[in-house]
Amino acid sequence: MESFLSEVESVLNESIILTKKLSMDEKATWYIKTTENHYVFKMAIEEVGFWMKILEGIYGRCIYFQNEYLAYKALSKSELKNFQIPQLLETDKNRYIILAYYDFQPITEIDNYEKMIFNAVSEFNLIPFGFKQPLALKLIRRIPYKLTRWLITRGPRYFGLKQTMLCLRVLIKSSMKQSSFKQGLYMHDDLFGPSNIGFNKELGTMMYDFEGVLYERKWILSDAVDLCITTNSVEFHGTQLKPFVDEYLKRGYDLDVFSQVRVALMRKILRILFYFKIRNSKVIKGMWQNFLFDVVLNDKAFESWYQENVSKYLE
């Protein structure tokens, strides 16, 4: 960050008096206070992981950062009705972006927040972004490929070969039940909890952090399922899922909701187990691992769980 400070001051024509890291993980997102204003500064970081390093070498830039820049650019040109985004102020496209800073409060503290979230996320899913993601990025981020890669590279070491094979079995079985759609939807892909969606008193619902945006032609309830669960509990809020199912069925998507929820849950659990850095990590990860083994990977147990936590809310 220090190497960017003088450049940022030059670009903004303001003196920086305070910087504070906002992201808890390796992502380089900073709050910047100057003598006159407040900003959010995001810089491209060196890719981690074998495949991402290969892609960075091929394309000569941080792929996820470029994806976020293009998403902000596309959204800035869209007439948004149900949510707003931070204003993109400055960028050099490949190294950093500077956004306007806004005060947020958790959207779950707002009355009727479930409807507000649905309106925002369903609108986001349907936006024609109109930018081309690198083919390699689309392949590496497609949900079946991503899950398979996680399981092969981390599964046997983390929880053994048997459970890894059971995960792959569920993925293959679910993929065979859910057909791909001719017209896909754009997923935010990081709304877990919910996160990256907040409320500003002046602008209303706001969404941000778009580095994970991807075009999905099969698992289109991914964002919706993310919104139904939180890190600290295996409780599933089925009422939050219903409006998304109703909306996409109305639009002609032939959803196998059972398979959609199962794959989305498995994907989220594996992300928690393999990648999340959280407080009480051992307890929380143990809770989710037990849920994965005892429910998600067990056909009869998952059917019973689905009827109790999802199906009855869709009627």
Side-chain angles (χ1 to χ4, degrees), residues 153-168:
T153 59
R154 292 176 179 261
R157 184 173 68 249
Y158 193 91
F159 45 55
L161 182 61
K162 179 182 178 181
Q163 300 297 345
T164 299
M165 296 305 295
L166 284 174
C167 287
L168 289 170

Side-chain angles (χ1 to χ4, degrees), residues 101-165:
Y101 176 82
Y102 301 86
D103 288 320
F104 295 115
Q105 68 182 102
I107 197 166
T108 52
E109 295 179 357
I110 306 301
D111 292 339
N112 205 26
Y113 74 89
E114 289 188 346
K115 184 177 181 180
M116 295 169 65
I117 289 175
F118 164 72
N119 289 339
V121 176
S122 59
E123 179 181 357
F124 180 91
N125 290 159
L126 292 161
I127 288 173
F129 276 79
F131 67 88
K132 290 185 177 181
Q133 296 174 310
L135 176 61
L137 181 63
K138 289 192 286 186
L139 290 175
I140 220 169
R141 294 214 48 185
R142 283 187 59 215
I143 289 174
Y145 176 84
K146 195 172 190 178
L147 274 173
T148 303
R149 176 165 52 88
W150 286 357
L151 287 166
I152 290 174
T153 59
R154 292 176 179 261
R157 184 173 68 249
Y158 193 91
F159 45 55
L161 182 61
K162 179 182 178 181
Q163 300 297 345
T164 299
M165 296 305 295

Side-chain angles (χ1 to χ4, degrees), residues 17 37 44 68 74 106 160 176 236 254 301 304 315:
I17 58 176
N37 291 297
E68 179 158 31
M176 292 175 66
F236 189 89
D254 187 14
S304 177
E315 297 173 355

Side-chain angles (χ1 to χ4, degrees), residues 39-245:
Y39 304 95
V40 173
F41 176 82
K42 302 192 73 171
M43 62 182 177
I45 60 174
E46 182 180 353
E47 298 287 10
V48 295
F50 175 78
W51 289 110
M52 295 312 299
K53 285 184 177 293
I54 292 293
L55 289 181
E56 185 176 32
I58 293 173
Y59 291 100
R61 59 184 183 270
C62 175
I63 300 298
Y64 282 123
F65 180 83
Q66 186 72 8
N67 197 57
E68 179 158 31
Y69 159 70
L70 291 172
Y72 268 113
K73 186 177 179 181
L75 286 166
S76 297
K77 296 178 180 179
S78 301
E79 294 184 9
L80 304 174
K81 297 179 180 179
N82 296 298
F83 71 96
Q84 297 300 318
I85 64 170
Q87 184 182 2
L88 177 62
L89 300 175
E90 296 286 349
T91 179
D92 77 345
K93 299 182 182 180
N94 293 322
R95 296 170 57 242
Y96 67 83
I97 56 177
I98 301 175
L99 304 165
Y101 176 82
Y102 301 86
D103 288 320
F104 295 115
Q105 68 182 102
I107 197 166
T108 52
E109 295 179 357
I110 306 301
D111 292 339
N112 205 26
Y113 74 89
E114 289 188 346
K115 184 177 181 180
M116 295 169 65
I117 289 175
F118 164 72
N119 289 339
V121 176
S122 59
E123 179 181 357
F124 180 91
N125 290 159
L126 292 161
I127 288 173
F129 276 79
F131 67 88
K132 290 185 177 181
Q133 296 174 310
L135 176 61
L137 181 63
K138 289 192 286 186
L139 290 175
I140 220 169
R141 294 214 48 185
R142 283 187 59 215
I143 289 174
Y145 176 84
K146 195 172 190 178
L147 274 173
T148 303
R149 176 165 52 88
W150 286 357
L151 287 166
I152 290 174
T153 59
R154 292 176 179 261
R157 184 173 68 249
Y158 193 91
F159 45 55
L161 182 61
K162 179 182 178 181
Q163 300 297 345
T164 299
M165 296 305 295
L166 284 174
C167 287
L168 289 170
R169 170 188 167 274
V170 167
L171 176 59
I172 293 169
K173 183 178 179 179
S174 301
S175 296
M176 292 175 66
K177 291 174 65 178
Q178 176 66 74
S179 301
S180 296
F181 306 111
K182 183 177 180 181
Q183 182 68 41
L185 299 176
Y186 280 92
M187 300 290 106
H188 181 286
D189 203 38
D190 196 8
L191 296 176
F192 191 38
S195 59
N196 298 319
I197 180 168
F199 184 81
N200 176 271
K201 291 182 179 179
E202 295 181 357
L203 298 176
T205 305
M206 298 196 71
M207 294 178 68
Y208 45 96
D209 199 2
F210 302 112
E211 66 185 49
V213 170
L214 75 153
Y215 184 67
E216 179 57 53
R217 294 183 57 239
K218 178 174 281 193
W219 307 110
I220 63 171
L221 289 183
S222 176
D223 278 353
V225 172
D226 277 4
L227 292 167
C228 295
I229 47 182
T230 62
T231 306
N232 298 324
S233 170
V234 295
E235 183 180 0
F236 189 89
H237 302 282
T239 54
Q240 185 86 22
L241 184 66
K242 178 176 169 53
F244 289 95
V245 173

